[in-house]
């Protein structure tokens, strides 16, 4: 069983930055695909970014060029650096892990989920 614990959420003004962290338990972290999803009030949970065990990355079009996903396998941690934040980025952000090492963007494909961290961007 893998546990994912997110941190780093908060409130920021539009144009500001935040860095989310996700600490994972377990020895197999370096082989997992890691990602971030988000869910805004009244909306479906949506894909944000993914990073493979080889550090290949993909982003949703809505965050491309503003967000950066990275991982530190020595620390069992994945990060999401969010710059130029917009009010529409307001959501609960979830860290996810996929055991098979596949690069996937569907929430159904992920095996483990964190509890989420709130990000609020004011205008």
């Amino acid at each position: 069983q893998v546990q994912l614990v997110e941190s780093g959420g908060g409130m920021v003004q539009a144009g500001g930055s935040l860095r989310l962290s996700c600490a994972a338990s377990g020895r197999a972290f370096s082989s997992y695909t890691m990602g971030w999803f988000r869910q805004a009030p009244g909306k479906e949970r949506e894909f944000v970014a993914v990073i493979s065990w080889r550090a290949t990355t993909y982003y949703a079009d809505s965050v491309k060029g503003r967000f950066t996903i990275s991982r530190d396998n020595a620390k069992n941690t994945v990060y999401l650096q969010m710059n130029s934040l917009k009010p529409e980025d307001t959501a609960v952000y979830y860290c996810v892990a996929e055991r098979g090492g596949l690069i996937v963007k569907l929430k159904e494909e992920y095996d483990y989920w964190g509890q989420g961290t709130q990000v609020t961007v004011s205008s």
Side-chain angles (χ1 to χ4, degrees):
Q1 188 71 14
V2 173
Q3 290 188 326
L4 305 174
V5 179
E6 303 98 334
S7 61
M11 185 176 294
V12 65
Q13 289 189 331
S17 298
L18 283 174
R19 188 176 82 154
L20 305 184
S21 299
C22 171
S25 65
R27 300 178 183 177
F29 173 83
S30 61
S31 66
Y32 289 174
T33 291
M34 301 298 296
W36 291 92
F37 280 72
R38 68 185 181 186
Q39 187 166 19
K43 294 189 176 182
E44 293 287 322
R45 196 168 294 190
E46 64 176 4
F47 166 78
V48 175
V50 62
I51 184 167
S52 74
W53 63 275
R54 291 183 176 182
T56 301
T57 59
Y58 290 98
Y59 298 91
D61 288 343
S62 58
V63 306
K64 202 172 294 183
R66 300 187 299 122
F67 290 12
T68 302
I69 188 171
S70 61
R71 65 191 298 161
D72 185 337
N73 290 335
K75 296 182 178 180
N76 275 22
T77 301
V78 63
Y79 305 97
L80 185 68
Q81 177 67 44
M82 305 185 294
N83 298 329
S84 303
L85 282 161
K86 305 175 181 180
E88 51 264 43
D89 294 318
T90 295
V92 177
Y93 283 72
Y94 297 91
C95 177
V96 294
E98 193 277 332
R99 293 175 297 190
L102 303 175
I103 298 176
V104 292
K105 302 177 185 179
L106 298 178
K107 57 183 182 293
E108 294 81 7
E109 300 289 344
Y110 284 90
D111 301 298
Y112 304 106
W113 290 76
Q115 291 299 307
T117 185
Q118 177 70 47
V119 171
T120 302
V121 184
S122 61
S123 58

